[in-house]
């Protein structure tokens, strides 16, 4: 029986080295690369906070689940690079210098549940900015001191949204039509904004009054203007605004009623004309039908009279013939 040769010491060292490397190597998806000045661990978390980054980090592992790039000087989120991270669940971009974001920024982040954009320099939130984020549960937009406009439909597609914080911005009004329709919304932060409590924010004030439990720091959510309500809580002026904003009719209301009256008058006139035409046609039809029936009756009477006359004449002839016989 032939025995195999014993492994050499060099072969054993290579084997042990291979086993060691396989045992301690990080998750395969993360070995594809880790950005400079960032830390990537085997839990699919990439930590780049406070590294004085001015650009979005390159070479991010495609399997990244959490990305933390807060406390840097990043001014833009490049859609092309960000949307490669289709498994991203948690994104913290707070305390940077973001100026704007668009619909394409988060176009492929269907699994993203947490998004923090606070402490940036955003000025407005456009239509469908967060539309692709169908799994978004928590959104923080606080402390963007230049943020003075949020599109009415900015959150209309975020049906999973539970927590929204827009505190400490520069908002004076907020259209709540899409927010009211969100079935999962549980908490909304509004404090620290210079709210103008007039007819434009009437619905917002009433909503705060009716469902105050949904609002963070409701006691600190106060009106900055007009002067007569300055310092009052939004919940305190809701009913007052309802009464003040619906006391009388405005210029456009009168125009609306005039237009509606003209439309109703025109519709009534046209309807009456059509009914008149139809009645005339109906009368003519009935008259013609009656004339036709009268002529038919007259013809029948003439025909009946002729037949009766002929019958009497024949009987007379027969009688005469019988008498002769």
């Amino acid at each position: 029986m032939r025995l195999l040769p014993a492994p050499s010491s060099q072969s054993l060292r290579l084997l042990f080295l291979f086993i060691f490397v396989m045992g301690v190597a990080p998750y395969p998806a993360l070995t594809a690369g880790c950005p400079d000045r960032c830390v990537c661990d085997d839990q699919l978390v990439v930590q780049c906070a406070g590294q004085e980054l001015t650009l979005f980090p390159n070479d991010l592992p495609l399997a990244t689940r959490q990305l933390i790039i807060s406390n840097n000087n990043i001014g833009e989120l490049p859609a092309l690079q960000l949307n490669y991270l289709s498994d991203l669940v948690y994104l913290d971009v707070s305390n940077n210098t973001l100026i704007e974001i668009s619909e394409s920024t988060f176009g492929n982040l269907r699994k993203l549940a947490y998004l923090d954009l606070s402490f940036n320099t955003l000025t407005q939130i456009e239509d469908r900015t967060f539309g692709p984020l169908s799994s978004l549960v928590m959104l923080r937009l606080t402390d963007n001191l230049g943020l003075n406009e949020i599109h009415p439909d900015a959150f209309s597609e975020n049906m999973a949204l539970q927590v929204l914080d827009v505190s400490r911005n520069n908002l004076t009004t907020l259209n709540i039509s899409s927010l009211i329709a969100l079935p999962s919304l549980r908490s909304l932060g509004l404090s620290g904004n210079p709210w103008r409590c007039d007819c434009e924010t009437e619905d917002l004030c009433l909503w705060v009054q009716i469902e105050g439990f949904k609002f963070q720091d409701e006691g600190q959510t106060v009106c900055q203007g007009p002067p007569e309500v300055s310092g009052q809580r939004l919940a305190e002026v809701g009913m007052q605004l309802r009464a003040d904003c619906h006391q009388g009719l405005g210029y456009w209301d009168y125009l609306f009623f005039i237009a509606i009256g003209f439309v109703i008058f025109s519709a009534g006139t046209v309807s009456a004309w059509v009914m008149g035409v139809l009645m005339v046609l109906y009368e003519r039809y009935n008259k013609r039908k009656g004339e036709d029936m009268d002529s038919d009756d007259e013809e029948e009477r003439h025909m009946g009279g002729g037949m009766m006359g002929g019958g009497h004449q024949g009987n007379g002839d027969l009688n005469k013939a019988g008498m002769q016989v």
Side-chain angles (χ1 to χ4, degrees):
M1 180 177 180
R2 185 178 180 181
L3 299 175
L4 294 174
S8 64
S9 59
Q10 182 177 1
S11 300
L12 290 175
R13 283 197 299 270
L14 290 175
L15 179 61
F16 289 145
L17 179 61
F18 177 76
I19 294 174
F20 174 78
V21 170
M22 290 298 294
V24 301
Y27 190 84
L30 294 176
T31 61
C34 189
D36 294 336
R37 292 183 285 179
C38 296
V39 177
C40 306
D41 63 22
D42 57 358
Q43 302 299 315
L44 307 176
V45 177
V46 178
Q47 174 67 260
C48 307
Q51 298 299 314
E52 299 182 356
L53 299 176
T54 57
L55 297 174
F56 188 79
N58 292 318
D59 302 323
L60 285 166
L62 299 183
T64 300
R65 301 293 301 278
Q66 296 186 37
L67 175 60
I68 305 170
I69 52 177
S70 57
N71 301 303
N72 287 293
N73 195 29
I74 299 172
E76 180 184 5
L77 291 178
L80 183 61
Q81 294 173 249
L82 183 60
N83 284 294
Y84 279 126
L85 309 177
S86 58
D87 290 329
L88 198 63
V89 175
Y90 183 104
L91 177 60
D92 185 353
V93 201
S94 61
N95 200 13
N96 278 280
T97 57
L98 295 179
I99 299 175
E100 63 178 358
I101 50 178
S102 64
E103 178 183 350
S104 61
T105 302
F106 308 113
N108 194 39
L109 303 184
R110 307 291 177 182
K111 299 180 182 179
L112 191 67
Y114 178 92
L115 176 60
D116 192 345
L117 295 169
S118 57
F119 292 96
N120 278 279
T121 55
L122 299 172
T123 58
Q124 63 179 355
I125 303 298
E126 299 177 355
D127 182 21
R128 297 200 76 253
T129 297
F130 306 108
L133 304 179
S134 56
S135 300
L136 189 63
V137 173
M138 180 177 290
L139 174 60
R140 300 189 72 244
L141 283 167
T142 69
D143 300 282
N144 286 269
L145 300 182
L147 181 59
N148 56 21
E149 181 182 356
I150 296 179
H151 193 280
D153 297 324
F155 314 108
S156 59
E157 299 181 45
N158 303 117
M159 293 301 164
L161 189 62
Q162 296 185 20
V163 179
L164 173 63
D165 197 349
V166 294
S167 304
R168 298 179 298 280
N169 293 306
N170 194 32
L171 297 171
T172 58
T173 62
L174 180 65
N175 189 310
I176 61 170
S177 57
S178 62
L179 292 176
I180 292 177
L182 295 179
S184 303
L185 189 63
R186 299 290 180 270
S187 177
L188 178 61
L190 300 174
S191 62
N193 286 285
W195 299 111
R196 182 168 182 83
C197 298
D198 53 18
C199 295
E200 291 189 23
T201 54
E202 172 195 350
D203 292 338
L204 174 61
C205 295
L206 283 172
W207 192 32
V208 175
Q209 180 178 0
I210 295 171
E211 300 193 49
F213 66 93
K214 286 186 177 181
F215 297 91
Q216 306 171 16
D217 301 327
E218 185 271 329
Q220 301 177 24
T221 306
V222 298
C223 307
Q224 183 165 314
E228 58 269 20
V229 295
S230 180
Q232 294 188 40
R233 295 184 296 112
L234 267 65
E236 294 176 340
V237 301
M239 294 306 297
Q240 179 184 342
L241 287 175
R242 171 65 71 180
D244 293 343
C245 295
H246 298 279
Q247 280 187 347
L249 299 177
Y251 174 75
W252 289 107
D253 296 322
Y254 286 111
L255 287 181
F256 173 76
F257 285 121
I258 291 173
I260 289 296
F262 177 76
V263 170
I264 294 174
F265 173 77
S266 301
T269 302
V270 172
S271 300
W273 181 81
V274 171
M275 290 298 296
V277 171
L278 292 176
M279 289 298 295
V280 170
L281 294 176
Y282 181 72
E283 289 293 336
R284 288 183 178 179
Y285 170 76
N286 281 341
K287 185 177 180 181
R288 182 175 298 177
K289 186 176 180 181
E291 291 176 352
D292 292 341
M293 291 179 65
D294 291 341
S295 62
D296 292 341
D297 291 342
E298 186 175 354
E299 289 180 1
E300 289 180 359
R301 285 197 298 270
H302 285 302
M303 291 178 64
M307 291 178 63
M308 291 177 64
H312 289 300
Q313 184 178 2
N315 291 335
D317 293 341
L318 289 173
N319 291 335
K320 291 180 180 178
M323 291 176 64
Q324 292 175 357
V325 173

